[in-house]
Amino acid sequence: EAGVAQSPRYKIIEKRQSVAFWCNPISGHATLYWYQQILGQGPKLLIQFQNNGVVDDSQLPKDRFSAERLKGVDSTLKIQPAKLEDSAVYLCASSLEGAKNIQYFGAGTRLSVL
Amino acid sequence: GDSVTQMEGPVTLSEEAFLTINCTYTATGYPSLFWYVQYPGEGLQLLLKATKADDKGSNKGFEATYRKETTSFHLEKGSVQVSDSAVYFCATTDSWGKFQFGAGTQVVVTP
């Protein structure tokens, strides 16, 4: 079974530029999550989707971050414009609708904002 | 709100040594408890879990027991290997599947 796929693996941009990350969850997983993991910290939930609807985006900085999952499968997370403090690893995870406490994580995208 | 506190790393030990990583939590209700492991360059992988008080989760020689009275979920392994070198995260989740992770503990096992 294929795992959660994320791309790119690494991205370096300058502050005020835009960046987008892509995630393809495990087939059949209705729930998709984006986390931000700052160096030395645990992952922090940014947004949770159930199919193509947003369940929780309370921790998403909506002035600069946006995410979509239009067809209820893959998802993109965008930052526009990026700030230095956005440097982090962005993790995508997915789970079955009936087993939200078992989340499968992708390898993440490491973002460096210079 | 919910929070998870785990011991700071790095924890450096020799192969075949005993490993303990302390984890305590604060939560409303009755959370499920997890340990995730992150190997270099990879995403988080579920190591073990426990869903109710006194449950013991175990996997790959690692164990942790859900202690409601002390709000703890300490991770232990009796004899570590070099391949156990990784970052270990303690986490809680509520009934809606919202995770709260600790800051992670880096473990370095030397031959």
Side-chain angles (χ1 to χ4, degrees), chain A residues 9-10 33 35 37 40-45 48 56 58-59 89 91 100-108, chain B residues 32 34 36 38 41-46 49 51 87 89 93-104:
Chain A
R9 287 299 310 274
Y10 307 93
Y33 313 80
Y35 289 87
Q37 185 180 12
Q41 299 181 19
K44 182 186 80 172
L45 180 68
Q48 176 182 343
D56 183 353
S58 57
Q59 299 296 307
V89 176
L91 295 167
K100 290 186 178 63
N101 63 0
I102 305 297
Q103 297 185 14
Y104 297 83
F105 285 81
Chain B
S32 294
F34 302 81
Y36 276 82
Q38 187 173 34
E42 299 184 15
L44 278 72
Q45 301 175 25
L46 177 63
K49 67 180 176 76
T51 58
V87 181
F89 291 91
T93 186
D94 60 21
S95 55
W96 287 274
K98 185 167 185 175
F99 271 79
Q100 185 72 41
F101 286 90

mmCIF file of all heavy atoms in Angstrom, chain A residues 9-10 33 35 37 40-45 48 56 58-59 89 91 100-108, chain B residues 32 34 36 38 41-46 49 51 87 89 93-104:
data_model
loop_
_atom_site.group_PDB
_atom_site.id
_atom_site.type_symbol
_atom_site.label_atom_id
_atom_site.label_comp_id
_atom_site.label_asym_id
_atom_site.label_seq_id
_atom_site.Cartn_x
_atom_site.Cartn_y
_atom_site.Cartn_z
ATOM 1 N N ARG A 9 10.295 17.802 -1.529
ATOM 2 C CA ARG A 9 10.898 17.431 -0.241
ATOM 3 C C ARG A 9 11.554 18.639 0.420
ATOM 4 O O ARG A 9 11.553 18.755 1.637
ATOM 5 C CB ARG A 9 11.927 16.327 -0.432
ATOM 6 C CG ARG A 9 11.359 14.960 -0.734
ATOM 7 C CD ARG A 9 10.463 14.437 0.404
ATOM 8 N NE ARG A 9 11.085 14.516 1.717
ATOM 9 C CZ ARG A 9 11.886 13.587 2.214
ATOM 10 N NH1 ARG A 9 12.167 12.512 1.522
ATOM 11 N NH2 ARG A 9 12.397 13.738 3.438
ATOM 12 N N TYR A 10 12.115 19.503 -0.400
ATOM 13 C CA TYR A 10 12.804 20.686 0.120
ATOM 14 C C TYR A 10 12.442 21.894 -0.735
ATOM 15 O O TYR A 10 12.217 21.765 -1.930
ATOM 16 C CB TYR A 10 14.331 20.500 0.092
ATOM 17 C CG TYR A 10 14.817 19.259 0.772
ATOM 18 C CD1 TYR A 10 15.009 18.083 0.063
ATOM 19 C CD2 TYR A 10 15.068 19.248 2.147
ATOM 20 C CE1 TYR A 10 15.442 16.931 0.704
ATOM 21 C CE2 TYR A 10 15.486 18.108 2.790
ATOM 22 C CZ TYR A 10 15.675 16.946 2.055
ATOM 23 O OH TYR A 10 16.103 15.810 2.687
ATOM 24 N N TYR A 33 -4.749 15.967 6.983
ATOM 25 C CA TYR A 33 -4.246 16.964 7.931
ATOM 26 C C TYR A 33 -2.971 17.606 7.384
ATOM 27 O O TYR A 33 -2.140 16.927 6.778
ATOM 28 C CB TYR A 33 -3.882 16.303 9.268
ATOM 29 C CG TYR A 33 -4.907 15.352 9.837
ATOM 30 C CD1 TYR A 33 -5.016 14.045 9.357
ATOM 31 C CD2 TYR A 33 -5.746 15.733 10.887
ATOM 32 C CE1 TYR A 33 -5.936 13.163 9.880
ATOM 33 C CE2 TYR A 33 -6.666 14.843 11.420
ATOM 34 C CZ TYR A 33 -6.749 13.560 10.913
ATOM 35 O OH TYR A 33 -7.666 12.677 11.437
ATOM 36 N N TYR A 35 0.248 19.694 9.073
ATOM 37 C CA TYR A 35 0.910 20.101 10.304
ATOM 38 C C TYR A 35 2.125 20.960 9.975
ATOM 39 O O TYR A 35 2.780 20.782 8.937
ATOM 40 C CB TYR A 35 1.412 18.873 11.085
ATOM 41 C CG TYR A 35 0.353 18.023 11.730
ATOM 42 C CD1 TYR A 35 -0.274 16.999 11.021
ATOM 43 C CD2 TYR A 35 -0.004 18.217 13.061
ATOM 44 C CE1 TYR A 35 -1.231 16.194 11.617
ATOM 45 C CE2 TYR A 35 -0.966 17.415 13.663
ATOM 46 C CZ TYR A 35 -1.571 16.412 12.931
ATOM 47 O OH TYR A 35 -2.519 15.604 13.541
ATOM 48 N N GLN A 37 5.836 21.719 11.615
ATOM 49 C CA GLN A 37 6.783 21.267 12.637
ATOM 50 C C GLN A 37 8.011 22.174 12.603
ATOM 51 O O GLN A 37 8.881 22.044 11.739
ATOM 52 C CB GLN A 37 7.190 19.818 12.405
ATOM 53 C CG GLN A 37 8.069 19.251 13.503
ATOM 54 C CD GLN A 37 8.467 17.807 13.280
ATOM 55 O OE1 GLN A 37 8.288 17.256 12.192
ATOM 56 N NE2 GLN A 37 9.002 17.170 14.303
ATOM 57 N N GLY A 40 12.811 21.558 16.627
ATOM 58 C CA GLY A 40 12.840 21.429 18.076
ATOM 59 C C GLY A 40 11.475 21.369 18.728
ATOM 60 O O GLY A 40 11.385 21.320 19.955
ATOM 61 N N GLN A 41 10.429 21.359 17.919
ATOM 62 C CA GLN A 41 9.069 21.301 18.453
ATOM 63 C C GLN A 41 8.310 20.131 17.835
ATOM 64 O O GLN A 41 8.705 19.581 16.809
ATOM 65 C CB GLN A 41 8.324 22.603 18.167
ATOM 66 C CG GLN A 41 8.963 23.835 18.786
ATOM 67 C CD GLN A 41 8.174 25.091 18.483
ATOM 68 O OE1 GLN A 41 7.000 25.042 18.116
ATOM 69 N NE2 GLN A 41 8.821 26.234 18.635
ATOM 70 N N GLY A 42 7.211 19.787 18.469
ATOM 71 C CA GLY A 42 6.350 18.778 17.899
ATOM 72 C C GLY A 42 5.457 19.371 16.817
ATOM 73 O O GLY A 42 5.305 20.591 16.722
ATOM 74 N N PRO A 43 4.881 18.524 15.990
ATOM 75 C CA PRO A 43 3.984 19.022 14.939
ATOM 76 C C PRO A 43 2.775 19.754 15.525
ATOM 77 O O PRO A 43 2.239 19.345 16.554
ATOM 78 C CB PRO A 43 3.543 17.745 14.215
ATOM 79 C CG PRO A 43 4.585 16.734 14.539
ATOM 80 C CD PRO A 43 5.049 17.062 15.921
ATOM 81 N N LYS A 44 2.374 20.814 14.851
ATOM 82 C CA LYS A 44 1.201 21.580 15.246
ATOM 83 C C LYS A 44 0.196 21.550 14.110
ATOM 84 O O LYS A 44 0.543 21.860 12.972
ATOM 85 C CB LYS A 44 1.592 23.026 15.556
ATOM 86 C CG LYS A 44 0.429 23.896 16.036
ATOM 87 C CD LYS A 44 0.842 25.348 16.180
ATOM 88 C CE LYS A 44 0.851 26.055 14.841
ATOM 89 N NZ LYS A 44 1.056 27.515 14.964
ATOM 90 N N LEU A 45 -1.037 21.170 14.431
ATOM 91 C CA LEU A 45 -2.059 21.071 13.392
ATOM 92 C C LEU A 45 -2.388 22.442 12.809
ATOM 93 O O LEU A 45 -2.664 23.389 13.546
ATOM 94 C CB LEU A 45 -3.334 20.449 13.969
ATOM 95 C CG LEU A 45 -4.489 20.285 12.981
ATOM 96 C CD1 LEU A 45 -4.159 19.232 11.919
ATOM 97 C CD2 LEU A 45 -5.774 19.913 13.712
ATOM 98 N N GLN A 48 -7.473 20.612 9.123
ATOM 99 C CA GLN A 48 -7.971 19.252 8.970
ATOM 100 C C GLN A 48 -9.134 19.269 7.994
ATOM 101 O O GLN A 48 -10.067 20.074 8.133
ATOM 102 C CB GLN A 48 -8.429 18.692 10.315
ATOM 103 C CG GLN A 48 -9.050 17.306 10.244
ATOM 104 C CD GLN A 48 -9.540 16.803 11.599
ATOM 105 O OE1 GLN A 48 -9.159 17.338 12.645
ATOM 106 N NE2 GLN A 48 -10.393 15.798 11.591
ATOM 107 N N ASP A 56 -11.345 21.724 10.804
ATOM 108 C CA ASP A 56 -10.686 22.551 11.816
ATOM 109 C C ASP A 56 -9.572 23.329 11.149
ATOM 110 O O ASP A 56 -8.647 22.736 10.598
ATOM 111 C CB ASP A 56 -10.134 21.657 12.933
ATOM 112 C CG ASP A 56 -9.493 22.442 14.074
ATOM 113 O OD1 ASP A 56 -9.356 23.687 13.960
ATOM 114 O OD2 ASP A 56 -9.112 21.826 15.094
ATOM 115 N N SER A 58 -8.546 26.292 12.931
ATOM 116 C CA SER A 58 -8.392 27.306 13.970
ATOM 117 C C SER A 58 -6.951 27.759 14.163
ATOM 118 O O SER A 58 -6.701 28.855 14.655
ATOM 119 C CB SER A 58 -8.953 26.778 15.294
ATOM 120 O OG SER A 58 -8.312 25.566 15.671
ATOM 121 N N GLN A 59 -5.970 26.935 13.821
ATOM 122 C CA GLN A 59 -4.565 27.283 13.996
ATOM 123 C C GLN A 59 -3.905 27.742 12.689
ATOM 124 O O GLN A 59 -2.687 27.953 12.672
ATOM 125 C CB GLN A 59 -3.796 26.083 14.553
ATOM 126 C CG GLN A 59 -4.279 25.611 15.922
ATOM 127 C CD GLN A 59 -4.053 26.665 16.979
ATOM 128 O OE1 GLN A 59 -2.959 27.163 17.155
ATOM 129 N NE2 GLN A 59 -5.117 27.016 17.692
ATOM 130 N N VAL A 89 9.174 22.240 8.830
ATOM 131 C CA VAL A 89 8.782 21.091 8.011
ATOM 132 C C VAL A 89 7.259 21.039 8.007
ATOM 133 O O VAL A 89 6.627 21.124 9.066
ATOM 134 C CB VAL A 89 9.355 19.773 8.569
ATOM 135 C CG1 VAL A 89 8.841 18.578 7.759
ATOM 136 C CG2 VAL A 89 10.882 19.809 8.543
ATOM 137 N N LEU A 91 4.136 18.834 7.357
ATOM 138 C CA LEU A 91 3.774 17.417 7.291
ATOM 139 C C LEU A 91 2.318 17.271 6.888
ATOM 140 O O LEU A 91 1.457 17.994 7.379
ATOM 141 C CB LEU A 91 3.970 16.760 8.656
ATOM 142 C CG LEU A 91 5.399 16.680 9.188
ATOM 143 C CD1 LEU A 91 5.391 16.305 10.660
ATOM 144 C CD2 LEU A 91 6.205 15.682 8.395
ATOM 145 N N LYS A 100 -9.768 8.193 13.254
ATOM 146 C CA LYS A 100 -8.998 9.434 13.191
ATOM 147 C C LYS A 100 -7.793 9.422 14.115
ATOM 148 O O LYS A 100 -6.888 10.239 13.958
ATOM 149 C CB LYS A 100 -9.904 10.621 13.527
ATOM 150 C CG LYS A 100 -10.946 10.917 12.449
ATOM 151 C CD LYS A 100 -11.694 12.187 12.777
ATOM 152 C CE LYS A 100 -12.711 12.523 11.697
ATOM 153 N NZ LYS A 100 -13.757 11.502 11.575
ATOM 154 N N ASN A 101 -7.758 8.556 15.111
ATOM 155 C CA ASN A 101 -6.604 8.564 15.990
ATOM 156 C C ASN A 101 -5.462 7.703 15.460
ATOM 157 O O ASN A 101 -4.458 7.525 16.150
ATOM 158 C CB ASN A 101 -7.008 8.161 17.415
ATOM 159 C CG ASN A 101 -7.549 6.755 17.478
ATOM 160 O OD1 ASN A 101 -7.640 6.070 16.478
ATOM 161 N ND2 ASN A 101 -7.916 6.316 18.659
ATOM 162 N N ILE A 102 -5.592 7.164 14.266
ATOM 163 C CA ILE A 102 -4.488 6.484 13.605
ATOM 164 C C ILE A 102 -4.164 7.278 12.350
ATOM 165 O O ILE A 102 -4.818 7.116 11.312
ATOM 166 C CB ILE A 102 -4.837 5.033 13.242
ATOM 167 C CG1 ILE A 102 -5.304 4.258 14.475
ATOM 168 C CG2 ILE A 102 -3.622 4.361 12.587
ATOM 169 C CD1 ILE A 102 -4.249 4.116 15.545
ATOM 170 N N GLN A 103 -3.188 8.138 12.462
ATOM 171 C CA GLN A 103 -2.820 8.993 11.347
ATOM 172 C C GLN A 103 -1.512 8.511 10.736
ATOM 173 O O GLN A 103 -0.577 8.155 11.451
ATOM 174 C CB GLN A 103 -2.678 10.447 11.816
ATOM 175 C CG GLN A 103 -3.983 11.028 12.336
ATOM 176 C CD GLN A 103 -3.887 12.491 12.694
ATOM 177 O OE1 GLN A 103 -2.939 13.182 12.342
ATOM 178 N NE2 GLN A 103 -4.899 12.984 13.392
ATOM 179 N N TYR A 104 -1.456 8.539 9.419
ATOM 180 C CA TYR A 104 -0.269 8.141 8.671
ATOM 181 C C TYR A 104 0.355 9.403 8.088
ATOM 182 O O TYR A 104 -0.323 10.177 7.422
ATOM 183 C CB TYR A 104 -0.635 7.156 7.563
ATOM 184 C CG TYR A 104 -1.205 5.859 8.090
ATOM 185 C CD1 TYR A 104 -2.559 5.761 8.422
ATOM 186 C CD2 TYR A 104 -0.399 4.749 8.297
ATOM 187 C CE1 TYR A 104 -3.091 4.576 8.920
ATOM 188 C CE2 TYR A 104 -0.922 3.560 8.789
ATOM 189 C CZ TYR A 104 -2.270 3.493 9.107
ATOM 190 O OH TYR A 104 -2.794 2.336 9.617
ATOM 191 N N PHE A 105 1.653 9.555 8.334
ATOM 192 C CA PHE A 105 2.335 10.782 7.963
ATOM 193 C C PHE A 105 3.189 10.602 6.712
ATOM 194 O O PHE A 105 3.812 9.554 6.506
ATOM 195 C CB PHE A 105 3.243 11.249 9.100
ATOM 196 C CG PHE A 105 2.500 11.864 10.248
ATOM 197 C CD1 PHE A 105 1.890 11.081 11.206
ATOM 198 C CD2 PHE A 105 2.412 13.249 10.369
ATOM 199 C CE1 PHE A 105 1.195 11.641 12.267
ATOM 200 C CE2 PHE A 105 1.732 13.826 11.429
ATOM 201 C CZ PHE A 105 1.119 13.022 12.373
ATOM 202 N N GLY A 106 3.240 11.655 5.909
ATOM 203 C CA GLY A 106 4.207 11.717 4.832
ATOM 204 C C GLY A 106 5.567 12.154 5.363
ATOM 205 O O GLY A 106 5.712 12.479 6.545
ATOM 206 N N ALA A 107 6.556 12.167 4.477
ATOM 207 C CA ALA A 107 7.926 12.510 4.879
ATOM 208 C C ALA A 107 8.106 14.002 5.103
ATOM 209 O O ALA A 107 9.085 14.420 5.721
ATOM 210 C CB ALA A 107 8.924 12.016 3.837
ATOM 211 N N GLY A 108 7.173 14.801 4.609
ATOM 212 C CA GLY A 108 7.238 16.223 4.867
ATOM 213 C C GLY A 108 7.961 17.026 3.799
ATOM 214 O O GLY A 108 8.717 16.490 2.993
ATOM 215 N N SER B 32 -6.706 9.379 24.203
ATOM 216 C CA SER B 32 -5.853 8.266 23.809
ATOM 217 C C SER B 32 -4.417 8.775 23.801
ATOM 218 O O SER B 32 -4.169 9.958 23.569
ATOM 219 C CB SER B 32 -6.242 7.751 22.416
ATOM 220 O OG SER B 32 -7.532 7.194 22.437
ATOM 221 N N PHE B 34 -0.233 8.174 22.643
ATOM 222 C CA PHE B 34 0.560 7.612 21.548
ATOM 223 C C PHE B 34 2.035 7.919 21.733
ATOM 224 O O PHE B 34 2.406 8.919 22.341
ATOM 225 C CB PHE B 34 0.145 8.240 20.194
ATOM 226 C CG PHE B 34 -1.301 8.054 19.853
ATOM 227 C CD1 PHE B 34 -2.262 8.886 20.398
ATOM 228 C CD2 PHE B 34 -1.698 7.061 18.989
ATOM 229 C CE1 PHE B 34 -3.605 8.729 20.091
ATOM 230 C CE2 PHE B 34 -3.037 6.888 18.666
ATOM 231 C CZ PHE B 34 -3.983 7.730 19.231
ATOM 232 N N TYR B 36 5.015 8.291 18.804
ATOM 233 C CA TYR B 36 5.424 8.268 17.402
ATOM 234 C C TYR B 36 6.943 8.349 17.339
ATOM 235 O O TYR B 36 7.581 8.954 18.208
ATOM 236 C CB TYR B 36 4.830 9.457 16.635
ATOM 237 C CG TYR B 36 3.427 9.241 16.138
ATOM 238 C CD1 TYR B 36 2.331 9.421 16.985
ATOM 239 C CD2 TYR B 36 3.184 8.862 14.819
ATOM 240 C CE1 TYR B 36 1.034 9.229 16.520
ATOM 241 C CE2 TYR B 36 1.894 8.671 14.352
ATOM 242 C CZ TYR B 36 0.834 8.847 15.216
ATOM 243 O OH TYR B 36 -0.442 8.657 14.746
ATOM 244 N N GLN B 38 10.272 9.270 14.667
ATOM 245 C CA GLN B 38 10.659 9.926 13.417
ATOM 246 C C GLN B 38 12.128 9.638 13.148
ATOM 247 O O GLN B 38 13.001 10.175 13.832
ATOM 248 C CB GLN B 38 10.405 11.429 13.500
ATOM 249 C CG GLN B 38 10.607 12.178 12.200
ATOM 250 C CD GLN B 38 10.189 13.637 12.304
ATOM 251 O OE1 GLN B 38 10.335 14.277 13.343
ATOM 252 N NE2 GLN B 38 9.661 14.185 11.223
ATOM 253 N N GLY B 41 15.025 12.094 8.122
ATOM 254 C CA GLY B 41 14.545 12.255 6.753
ATOM 255 C C GLY B 41 13.208 11.617 6.463
ATOM 256 O O GLY B 41 12.768 11.588 5.308
ATOM 257 N N GLU B 42 12.542 11.118 7.483
ATOM 258 C CA GLU B 42 11.260 10.447 7.265
ATOM 259 C C GLU B 42 10.149 11.126 8.055
ATOM 260 O O GLU B 42 10.387 11.970 8.913
ATOM 261 C CB GLU B 42 11.361 8.973 7.681
ATOM 262 C CG GLU B 42 12.396 8.177 6.893
ATOM 263 C CD GLU B 42 12.400 6.711 7.280
ATOM 264 O OE1 GLU B 42 11.436 6.254 7.922
ATOM 265 O OE2 GLU B 42 13.374 6.021 6.929
ATOM 266 N N GLY B 43 8.918 10.750 7.739
ATOM 267 C CA GLY B 43 7.777 11.252 8.496
ATOM 268 C C GLY B 43 7.599 10.499 9.796
ATOM 269 O O GLY B 43 8.328 9.561 10.091
ATOM 270 N N LEU B 44 6.621 10.907 10.560
ATOM 271 C CA LEU B 44 6.342 10.248 11.829
ATOM 272 C C LEU B 44 5.677 8.898 11.583
ATOM 273 O O LEU B 44 4.821 8.753 10.714
ATOM 274 C CB LEU B 44 5.416 11.115 12.690
ATOM 275 C CG LEU B 44 6.048 12.230 13.500
ATOM 276 C CD1 LEU B 44 6.497 13.361 12.603
ATOM 277 C CD2 LEU B 44 5.073 12.737 14.562
ATOM 278 N N GLN B 45 6.069 7.923 12.386
ATOM 279 C CA GLN B 45 5.467 6.590 12.316
ATOM 280 C C GLN B 45 4.908 6.248 13.687
ATOM 281 O O GLN B 45 5.556 6.488 14.700
ATOM 282 C CB GLN B 45 6.505 5.537 11.927
ATOM 283 C CG GLN B 45 7.185 5.758 10.599
ATOM 284 C CD GLN B 45 8.285 4.742 10.353
ATOM 285 O OE1 GLN B 45 8.268 3.638 10.904
ATOM 286 N NE2 GLN B 45 9.247 5.108 9.520
ATOM 287 N N LEU B 46 3.717 5.692 13.695
ATOM 288 C CA LEU B 46 3.137 5.266 14.960
ATOM 289 C C LEU B 46 3.970 4.127 15.544
ATOM 290 O O LEU B 46 4.205 3.112 14.891
ATOM 291 C CB LEU B 46 1.700 4.809 14.746
ATOM 292 C CG LEU B 46 0.980 4.268 15.978
ATOM 293 C CD1 LEU B 46 0.841 5.353 17.041
ATOM 294 C CD2 LEU B 46 -0.389 3.716 15.598
ATOM 295 N N LYS B 49 0.354 2.647 21.032
ATOM 296 C CA LYS B 49 -0.719 3.482 21.550
ATOM 297 C C LYS B 49 -1.442 2.775 22.680
ATOM 298 O O LYS B 49 -1.329 1.549 22.838
ATOM 299 C CB LYS B 49 -1.700 3.844 20.439
ATOM 300 C CG LYS B 49 -2.497 2.663 19.883
ATOM 301 C CD LYS B 49 -3.431 3.131 18.780
ATOM 302 C CE LYS B 49 -4.180 1.957 18.137
ATOM 303 N NZ LYS B 49 -5.259 1.475 19.006
ATOM 304 N N THR B 51 -5.432 3.311 24.688
ATOM 305 C CA THR B 51 -6.670 4.075 24.595
ATOM 306 C C THR B 51 -7.407 4.245 25.912
ATOM 307 O O THR B 51 -8.338 5.045 25.997
ATOM 308 C CB THR B 51 -7.621 3.432 23.575
ATOM 309 O OG1 THR B 51 -7.872 2.088 23.983
ATOM 310 C CG2 THR B 51 -7.015 3.454 22.188
ATOM 311 N N VAL B 87 13.964 10.458 16.697
ATOM 312 C CA VAL B 87 13.263 11.380 17.589
ATOM 313 C C VAL B 87 11.917 10.759 17.951
ATOM 314 O O VAL B 87 11.189 10.302 17.064
ATOM 315 C CB VAL B 87 13.057 12.757 16.930
ATOM 316 C CG1 VAL B 87 12.338 13.706 17.894
ATOM 317 C CG2 VAL B 87 14.389 13.359 16.500
ATOM 318 N N PHE B 89 8.176 11.097 19.786
ATOM 319 C CA PHE B 89 7.162 12.075 20.148
ATOM 320 C C PHE B 89 6.041 11.396 20.930
ATOM 321 O O PHE B 89 5.476 10.404 20.470
ATOM 322 C CB PHE B 89 6.546 12.723 18.906
ATOM 323 C CG PHE B 89 7.471 13.612 18.149
ATOM 324 C CD1 PHE B 89 8.250 13.101 17.115
ATOM 325 C CD2 PHE B 89 7.574 14.961 18.459
ATOM 326 C CE1 PHE B 89 9.101 13.927 16.406
ATOM 327 C CE2 PHE B 89 8.432 15.788 17.752
ATOM 328 C CZ PHE B 89 9.207 15.266 16.731
ATOM 329 N N THR B 93 -4.657 12.468 21.885
ATOM 330 C CA THR B 93 -5.693 12.840 20.942
ATOM 331 C C THR B 93 -7.045 12.758 21.610
ATOM 332 O O THR B 93 -7.276 11.888 22.450
ATOM 333 C CB THR B 93 -5.663 11.963 19.680
ATOM 334 O OG1 THR B 93 -6.616 12.463 18.742
ATOM 335 C CG2 THR B 93 -5.992 10.527 19.980
ATOM 336 N N ASP B 94 -7.918 13.681 21.232
ATOM 337 C CA ASP B 94 -9.263 13.651 21.795
ATOM 338 C C ASP B 94 -10.171 12.827 20.889
ATOM 339 O O ASP B 94 -9.714 12.219 19.916
ATOM 340 C CB ASP B 94 -9.793 15.081 21.982
ATOM 341 C CG ASP B 94 -9.859 15.874 20.682
ATOM 342 O OD1 ASP B 94 -9.882 15.256 19.589
ATOM 343 O OD2 ASP B 94 -9.900 17.107 20.743
ATOM 344 N N SER B 95 -11.432 12.813 21.207
ATOM 345 C CA SER B 95 -12.366 11.949 20.477
ATOM 346 C C SER B 95 -12.588 12.408 19.041
ATOM 347 O O SER B 95 -13.094 11.642 18.213
ATOM 348 C CB SER B 95 -13.707 11.886 21.203
ATOM 349 O OG SER B 95 -14.210 13.187 21.400
ATOM 350 N N TRP B 96 -12.216 13.661 18.732
ATOM 351 C CA TRP B 96 -12.353 14.149 17.362
ATOM 352 C C TRP B 96 -11.088 13.915 16.546
ATOM 353 O O TRP B 96 -11.017 14.326 15.408
ATOM 354 C CB TRP B 96 -12.694 15.646 17.362
ATOM 355 C CG TRP B 96 -14.090 15.911 17.800
ATOM 356 C CD1 TRP B 96 -15.220 15.904 17.044
ATOM 357 C CD2 TRP B 96 -14.506 16.210 19.144
ATOM 358 N NE1 TRP B 96 -16.324 16.189 17.822
ATOM 359 C CE2 TRP B 96 -15.914 16.385 19.104
ATOM 360 C CE3 TRP B 96 -13.845 16.355 20.361
ATOM 361 C CZ2 TRP B 96 -16.660 16.693 20.246
ATOM 362 C CZ3 TRP B 96 -14.586 16.657 21.486
ATOM 363 C CH2 TRP B 96 -15.969 16.826 21.419
ATOM 364 N N GLY B 97 -10.096 13.259 17.159
ATOM 365 C CA GLY B 97 -8.868 12.970 16.442
ATOM 366 C C GLY B 97 -7.893 14.123 16.398
ATOM 367 O O GLY B 97 -6.974 14.126 15.584
ATOM 368 N N LYS B 98 -8.083 15.116 17.260
ATOM 369 C CA LYS B 98 -7.154 16.245 17.268
ATOM 370 C C LYS B 98 -5.946 15.886 18.128
ATOM 371 O O LYS B 98 -6.064 15.638 19.322
ATOM 372 C CB LYS B 98 -7.820 17.500 17.809
ATOM 373 C CG LYS B 98 -6.933 18.724 17.719
ATOM 374 C CD LYS B 98 -7.724 19.999 17.964
ATOM 375 C CE LYS B 98 -6.861 21.214 17.759
ATOM 376 N NZ LYS B 98 -7.630 22.475 17.881
ATOM 377 N N PHE B 99 -4.774 15.894 17.518
ATOM 378 C CA PHE B 99 -3.551 15.501 18.194
ATOM 379 C C PHE B 99 -2.882 16.686 18.867
ATOM 380 O O PHE B 99 -2.916 17.817 18.374
ATOM 381 C CB PHE B 99 -2.554 14.909 17.188
ATOM 382 C CG PHE B 99 -2.705 13.433 16.994
ATOM 383 C CD1 PHE B 99 -3.704 12.937 16.193
ATOM 384 C CD2 PHE B 99 -1.834 12.538 17.606
ATOM 385 C CE1 PHE B 99 -3.848 11.568 16.007
ATOM 386 C CE2 PHE B 99 -1.978 11.175 17.423
ATOM 387 C CZ PHE B 99 -2.982 10.701 16.622
ATOM 388 N N GLN B 100 -2.257 16.405 20.001
ATOM 389 C CA GLN B 100 -1.367 17.336 20.677
ATOM 390 C C GLN B 100 -0.054 16.600 20.871
ATOM 391 O O GLN B 100 -0.002 15.586 21.568
ATOM 392 C CB GLN B 100 -1.947 17.769 22.024
ATOM 393 C CG GLN B 100 -1.129 18.833 22.717
ATOM 394 C CD GLN B 100 -1.251 20.178 22.043
ATOM 395 O OE1 GLN B 100 -2.312 20.593 21.616
ATOM 396 N NE2 GLN B 100 -0.143 20.879 21.939
ATOM 397 N N PHE B 101 1.006 17.115 20.252
ATOM 398 C CA PHE B 101 2.306 16.448 20.326
ATOM 399 C C PHE B 101 3.210 17.124 21.346
ATOM 400 O O PHE B 101 3.153 18.344 21.540
ATOM 401 C CB PHE B 101 3.010 16.501 18.965
ATOM 402 C CG PHE B 101 2.434 15.578 17.932
ATOM 403 C CD1 PHE B 101 1.421 16.000 17.086
ATOM 404 C CD2 PHE B 101 2.923 14.292 17.798
ATOM 405 C CE1 PHE B 101 0.897 15.148 16.127
ATOM 406 C CE2 PHE B 101 2.410 13.432 16.838
ATOM 407 C CZ PHE B 101 1.394 13.868 16.005
ATOM 408 N N GLY B 102 4.084 16.326 21.956
ATOM 409 C CA GLY B 102 5.165 16.883 22.735
ATOM 410 C C GLY B 102 6.250 17.407 21.810
ATOM 411 O O GLY B 102 6.158 17.274 20.582
ATOM 412 N N ALA B 103 7.285 17.990 22.391
ATOM 413 C CA ALA B 103 8.345 18.625 21.598
ATOM 414 C C ALA B 103 9.310 17.615 20.985
ATOM 415 O O ALA B 103 10.116 17.973 20.136
ATOM 416 C CB ALA B 103 9.117 19.620 22.462
ATOM 417 N N GLY B 104 9.219 16.382 21.411
ATOM 418 C CA GLY B 104 10.103 15.353 20.865
ATOM 419 C C GLY B 104 11.362 15.176 21.688
ATOM 420 O O GLY B 104 11.859 16.130 22.301
#
